[in-house]
Amino acid sequence: MTVYEILSFTGELLTRLALTGFNLKDCRYVDLYSEYDRMRRAGEKITYIISALSDKYKVSERKIYGIIKQLKKDCRIGAV
């Protein structure tokens, strides 16, 4: 399957995702965010969570704060 065929097949979905503010690269961080959310609900301190995730996923602490901020954002209303 070619890139064109994939884009052609999923074009409408990809367009809608783009309108909501979705960034394809964010898919890499779904597991990281799930773990962050689980640890938060368990009552862990934010600084501990960030430090632990930074070590586990080999991502800087500053980047993890940015990832969490990005994945917490609401989708744009008009696009959904």
Side-chain angles (χ1 to χ4, degrees):
M1 184 174 270
T2 66
V3 173
Y4 170 76
E5 290 170 330
I6 292 170
L7 290 174
S8 177
F9 180 70
T10 60
E12 183 180 350
L13 173 62
L14 293 173
T15 300
R16 287 182 181 266
L17 287 171
L19 290 172
T20 65
F22 177 82
N23 183 346
L24 186 57
K25 292 182 180 181
D26 291 341
C27 292
R28 292 184 279 181
Y29 304 118
V30 169
D31 292 337
L32 183 149
Y33 187 83
S34 294
E35 196 163 344
Y36 161 80
D37 191 46
R38 181 188 56 76
M39 292 172 84
R40 279 280 294 163
R41 285 186 276 116
E44 300 290 349
K45 303 280 186 191
I46 296 289
T47 52
Y48 170 75
I49 296 169
I50 299 299
S51 179
L53 293 176
S54 176
D55 289 342
K56 180 174 181 176
Y57 289 94
K58 307 296 184 229
V59 177
S60 73
E61 291 183 6
R62 178 65 5 228
K63 178 73 174 172
I64 291 177
Y65 280 109
I67 290 166
I68 291 167
K69 183 179 178 183
Q70 173 68 18
L71 295 182
K72 275 180 144 178
K73 282 193 315 188
D74 287 333
C75 294
R76 294 185 192 122
I77 304 271
V80 179

